[in-house]
């Protein structure tokens, strides 16, 4: 199986893992009683009605023509000052809310006033800085990230771990034959610096040297003793979804309504900002609205499903993150000699690290409501997605039809679209890359691309291309995802069972690298194990940093690097009869076509809720994946 | 294009290309392909404003210079850098004591291309034209007056002047003319001239590397309107001359091509030139100095000059200085030292890439540049010696010239803050910083068969570029980041040219 096919299969599985995050047993053995979950399926209010005028305006605002001009000038000045902002606090400290209220009053009294609507759009977007929740979340995350950086980068153990694992793993082993002396010594210097620094300083410089080192290292030691930073407890996915729902989407609704009003009035206005005179046309507004609708669609989808990862004690905080780094276990290497092959076995025990994650995953997989619909936003999201290509197309047509001077336009148009060839000729480039002309023709121009996007959003589309010699044919129906939404995303995941007790601890072995060589020596570090009979070892010498160079009696011709990891797993895939499909079996799929048939995961719905309507059963996926084997 | 310039890996080709693109307006001779020699097209030296001789004389010349032909880099390499120049012409003059005339025909073909490896685009320039002109002089005792009338016909299938397309071709649209007067008040000669001269009818194309056909075409038609005056002084052992001129260089927008993006250039140029020759004991000493100062602007449009102005280099300042001094002894040995400086500076301008891609509607790509400058300087010397072997004369010449070329400008890129555009200063960028040597060997063989003189010449340019010069990119906060411009290897650049001059002396 080639790299490309492995990559493709990996992508499929990875996509499943990432998108659906986790799984749920087909028949759960012990579902949690969920106390915190309350079914909330009402859709979020996502609107695009130009008649929706802002209500919470400033009743004292001067909405005369001069008043709007004055507010607009002030708005421009405040936006210009954002250029000097050094961090998010500078943004949050600017007052855009009063301007937004002023423009809201102006818009509600004069819905057709172009300047008032544009001012309202800009001030409404900028006034997101009034969201206390958003500010609190950003402040807290900012402080947390800084604290984590400060803590872990100053921790001598972390420095040691970082240097050893990053530098040694990359360079130490494989390169030893060609450049082993210099590299190994360099690595040895780094890896042993912090641990041996006190001993070496004492040996070389006596008590005075040790004193100096202690003085230099004391800040790090003090930092290491301080309390480690905790993740802000209030920041949960539900909290972020709340910000989106309460603070962002309503503002975007108002912006879209203002765009609609400007479009219906066929806006064309000359403005000045950042010392630039520019013209804002209706085409610019169409394109802007398309961008806003796209963002709103993404946010609408984000708040559709319950994705909170509760702690195993039932609290909705993510405090389990705090302990993840502390549980990391350093790996060691075991050397064995089999015939003329040196086995370099990297042994990792990551159970301490993965156990808390497993607990979190298992708890949430059993939690009712997890990955279920919390807001029925599919229809509104779909509507926004369908609107985007139409808006772009209308925008392009509008920009194309402009006949005035284009030099100061926000988006330049006019006669420039009459050229027959485009510099960024995606279409030709795709054909040169091997894609079919049928697919490439959709990328000939932005307009044709928008038609194509509309087509695949509304109809079944069969992708049939030969890429790198592989025939890839797949029918997708994106509309099914939105018109017939999945109530529980866990139902889409492969069949599996949750692991309990000792079953959770799984050992996995894989060959990382194999290469030919012609050497009789290797370097060994502090925690490494030499599992080679003494009779085969000529000598073991210590270098100045306390590491060992092992010289064998005979030369070895090959070196195999093997990873052996013990980890904690939350579930195991199962077949229709409930038999386990282990990690090794899954890995075998990538190398052996027979294994594909045997171990390809079993699903309840092979069409993934109609997203791939032609993939009706397991054999369809096996047929599809079989094409990637040589 | 900015990105192309930033990524360019072969400065030798780029240098050649710059010669093509920047200096295409000026007449180029095969032996004058170095940058500063191309500039000599601007020189005040002119054969037009001198009184033709009385004898009946005909001459013809032709030269062809396949100067650069870049090697293919792969089997699919269908477009490479090249530089081809071909010039030819014939002149007939006749006259008597009162009336004299000179009629000439000229053909100029100038083709050059620059293939840019690191981008998908290349450029190619063409300048091909036929010229027919005649001058008529009335010679009095001390005052000679002349009139020149000429016409230029572009030999470019793609270059169709609007007047051609409309099938109402008017000779007047392609005519040029001049008025001359010389007053001889011994030992002085005073000269005055008024001219309208064509500088170029050429096109530059932007081409995708994967194809050979044009992607965008930039036509340029330039005329020079010149008013000049000068004086010569002749004494027993010395000749001195001094000339001044003021040129108004203007483009002719009356051209239109398929997918064309016409270029409009307007510039005023003021020049002064002094030269002299004096006889020493066993040799002659020659010298010349010339300086010019000019200003103007260059603009590019979509479709026609009523279209969108996508490029502007405003308030251009051009300065040139040429100095040379040589000595030629009676043993036919000649040595000449020379130095040149050419500087082009534009304090402000902009580039909007929208006409190059519809996809810019998703992300408009607009740049402004400031303090853009192009600076070329060189200093060198040339030595030549004539040898006689078996009754044949061979003139061997070797020149060496150290040159530096630098291009830098400050760049601002437009961003959109919600609905407001603003330009972010990306700092000063050094687009090119190259220096090196040019060796210019030449051999020429003058022959005389019956009454006809032939001159065969073979000359070349061997460039050696120096690598590893550090360039500085100044960021907006004032700090300077140094980066090593990868000047790469010069795969092209060796120039070979051949001249064949056939003057024919017809007995009166």
């Amino acid at each position: 199986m080639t790299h490309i096919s492995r990559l493709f299969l990996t992508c499929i599985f990875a996509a499943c893992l990432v998108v659906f995050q986790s799984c749920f047993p087909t028949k759960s053995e012990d579902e949690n009683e969920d106390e915190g979950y309350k079914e909330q399926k009402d859709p979020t209010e996502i609107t695009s009605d130009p008649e929706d005028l802002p209500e919470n305006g400033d009743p004292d605002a001067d909405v005369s023509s001069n008043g709007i001009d004055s507010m607009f000038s002030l708005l421009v000045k405040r936006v210009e000052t954002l250029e000097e902002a050094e961090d998010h606090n500078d943004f949050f400290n600017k007052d855009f809310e009063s301007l937004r209220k002023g423009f809201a009053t102006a818009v509600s009294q004069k819905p057709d006033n172009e300047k008032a609507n544009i001012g309202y759009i800009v001030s409404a977007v900028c006034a997101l800085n009034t969201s206390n929740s958003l500010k609190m979340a950003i402040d807290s995350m900012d402080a947390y990230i800084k604290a984590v950086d400060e803590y872990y980068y100053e921790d001598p153990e972390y420095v040691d771990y970082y240097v050893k694992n990053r530098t040694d793993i990359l360079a130490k082993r494989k390169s030893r034959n060609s450049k082993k002396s210099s590299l190994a010594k360099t690595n040895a210097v780094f890896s042993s610096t912090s641990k041996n620094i006190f001993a070496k300083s004492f040996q070389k410089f006596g008590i005075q040297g040790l004193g100096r080192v202690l003085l230099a290292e004391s800040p790090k030691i003090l930092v290491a003793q301080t309390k480690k930073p905790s993740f802000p407890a209030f920041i949960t996915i539900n909290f972020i979804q709340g910000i989106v729902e309460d603070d962002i989407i309503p503002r975007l609704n108002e912006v879209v309504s203002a765009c609609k009003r400007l479009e219906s009035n066929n806006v064309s206005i000359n403005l000045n900002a950042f010392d630039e005179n520019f013209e804002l046309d209706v085409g610019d507004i169409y394109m802007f609205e398309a961008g806003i609708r796209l963002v709103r669609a993404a946010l609408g989808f984000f708040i559709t499903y319950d994705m909170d990862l509760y702690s195993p004690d039932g609290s909705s905080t993510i405090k389990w993150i705090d302990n993840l780094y502390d549980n990391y276990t350093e790996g060691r290497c075991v050397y064995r000699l089999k015939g003329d092959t040196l086995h370099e076995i990297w042994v990792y025990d990551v159970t301490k690290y993965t156990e808390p994650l497993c607990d979190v995953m298992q708890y949430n997989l059993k939690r009712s409501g997890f990955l279920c619909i919390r807001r029925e936003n599919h229809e509104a999201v779909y509507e926004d997605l369908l609107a985007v290509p139409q808006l772009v197309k209308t925008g392009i047509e509008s920009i194309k039809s402009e006949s005035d001077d284009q030099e100061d336009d926000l988006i330049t148009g006019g006669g420039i679209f009459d050229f027959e060839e485009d510099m960024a000729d995606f279409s030709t480039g795709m054909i040169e890359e091997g894609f079919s002309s049928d697919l490439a023709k959709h990328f000939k121009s932005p307009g044709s691309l928008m038609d194509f996007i509309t087509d695949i959003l509304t109809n079944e589309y069969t992708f049939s291309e030969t890429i790198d010699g592989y025939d890839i044919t797949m029918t997708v129906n994106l509309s099914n995802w939105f018109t017939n939404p999945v109530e529980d995303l866990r139902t889409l995941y492969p069949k599996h069972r949750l692991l309990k007790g000792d079953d959770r601890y799984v050992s996995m072995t894989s060959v990382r690298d194999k290469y030919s060589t012609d050497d009789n020596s290797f370097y060994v570090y502090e925690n490494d194990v030499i599992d080679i009979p003494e009779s085969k070892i000529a000598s073991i010498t210590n270098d100045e940093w306390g590491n060992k160079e092992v010289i064998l009696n005979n030369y070895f011709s090959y070196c195999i690097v093997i990873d052996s990891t013990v980890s904690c797993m939350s579930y195991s895939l199962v077949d229709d009869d409930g038999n386990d499909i282990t990690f090794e079996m899954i890995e075998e799929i990538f190398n052996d076509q027979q294994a594909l048939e045997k171990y390809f995961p079993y699903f309840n719905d092979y069409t993934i809720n109609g997203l791939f309507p032609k993939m009706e059963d397991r054999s369809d996926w096996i047929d599809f994946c079989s094409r990637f084997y040589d | 294009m900015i990105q192309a310039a930033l990524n360019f890996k072969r400065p030798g080709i780029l240098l050649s290309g710059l010669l093509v693109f920047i200096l295409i307006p000026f007449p180029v001779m095969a032996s004058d392909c170095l940058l500063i020699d191309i500039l000599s097209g601007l020189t005040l030296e002119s054969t037009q404003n001198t009184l033709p001789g009385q004898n009946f004389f005909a001459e013809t010349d032709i030269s062809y210079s396949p100067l650069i032909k870049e090697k293919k880099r792969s089997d699919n390499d269908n477009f490479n850098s090249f530089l081809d120049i071909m010039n030819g012409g014939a002149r007939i003059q006749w006259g008597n004591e009162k009336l004299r005339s000179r009629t000439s025909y000229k053909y100029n073909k100038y083709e050059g291309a620059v293939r840019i490896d690191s981008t998908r685009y290349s450029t190619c320039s063409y300048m091909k034209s036929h010229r027919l002109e005649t001058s008529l002089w009335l010679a009095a005792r001390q005052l000679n007056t002349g009139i020149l009338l000429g016409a230029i016909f572009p030999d470019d299938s793609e270059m169709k002047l609007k007047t051609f397309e409309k099938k109402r071709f008017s000779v007047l649209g392609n005519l040029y003319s001049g008025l001359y007067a010389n007053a001889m008040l011994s030992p002085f000669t005073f000269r005055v001239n008024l001219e309208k001269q064509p500088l170029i009818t050429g096109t530059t194309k932007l081409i995708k590397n994967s194809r050979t056909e044009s992607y965008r075409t930039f036509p340029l038609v330039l005329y020079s309107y010149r008013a000049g005056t000068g004086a010569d002084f002749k004494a027993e052992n010395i000749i001195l001359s001094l000339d001044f001129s003021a040129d108004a260089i203007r483009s002719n927008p009356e051209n239109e091509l398929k997918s064309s993006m016409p270029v409009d250039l307007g510039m005023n140029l003021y020049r002064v030139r002094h030269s002299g020759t004096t006889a020493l004991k066993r040799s002659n000493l020659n010298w010349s100095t010339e300086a010019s100062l000019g200003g103007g602007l260059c603009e590019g449009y979509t479709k026609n000059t009523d279209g969108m102005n996508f490029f502007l280099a405003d308030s251009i300042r051009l300065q040139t200085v040429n100095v040379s001094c040589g000595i030629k002894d009676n043993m036919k040995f000649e040595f000449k030292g020379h130095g040149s400086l050419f500087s082009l500076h534009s304090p402000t301008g902009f580039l909007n890439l929208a006409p190059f891609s519809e996809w810019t509607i998703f992300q408009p790509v607009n740049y402004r540049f400031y303090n853009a400058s192009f600076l070329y300087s060189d200093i060198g010397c040339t030595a030549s010696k004539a040898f006689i072997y078996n009754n044949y004369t061979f003139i061997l010449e070797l020149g060496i010239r150290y040159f530096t070329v630098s291009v830098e400008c400050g760049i601002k890129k437009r961003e959109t803050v919600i609905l407001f555009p603003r330009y972010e200063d990306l700092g000063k960028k050094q687009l090119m910083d190259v220096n090196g040597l040019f060796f210019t060997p030449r051999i020429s063989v003058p022959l005389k068969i019956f009454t006809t003189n032939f001159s065969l010449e073979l000359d070349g340019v061997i460039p050696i570029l120096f690598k590893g010069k550090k360039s500085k990119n100044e960021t907006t906060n004032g700090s300077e980041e140094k980066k090593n411009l990868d000047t790469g290897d010069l795969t092209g650049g060796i120039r070979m040219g051949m001249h064949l001059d056939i003057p024919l002396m017809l007995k009166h």
Side-chain angles (χ1 to χ4, degrees), chain A residues 83 126 274 276 278 396 407 409-410 412 416-417 419 421-426 428 443 445-446 449, chain B residues 121 208 211 214-216 258 308-309 352 354-359 361 368 414 418-423:
Chain A
E83 204 176 13
C126 291
F274 293 100
E276 299 290 333
F278 65 99
I396 292 171
E407 281 152 38
D409 274 40
L410 200 63
T412 315
I416 65 169
F417 292 98
F419 290 110
E421 269 203 274
D422 198 284
M423 180 182 258
D425 194 345
F426 293 125
T428 311
F443 293 81
S445 68
L449 178 61
Chain B
Y121 308 98
K208 289 186 180 177
R211 301 177 190 186
S214 171
Y215 157 63
R216 292 284 190 277
K258 184 183 173 188
M308 196 189 84
N309 187 193
N352 179 357
F356 296 89
S357 175
E358 283 189 41
W359 299 89
I361 57 163
R368 279 187 182 164
R414 198 176 86 174
I418 308 174
L419 283 171
F420 298 161
R422 69 175 277 267
Y423 281 85

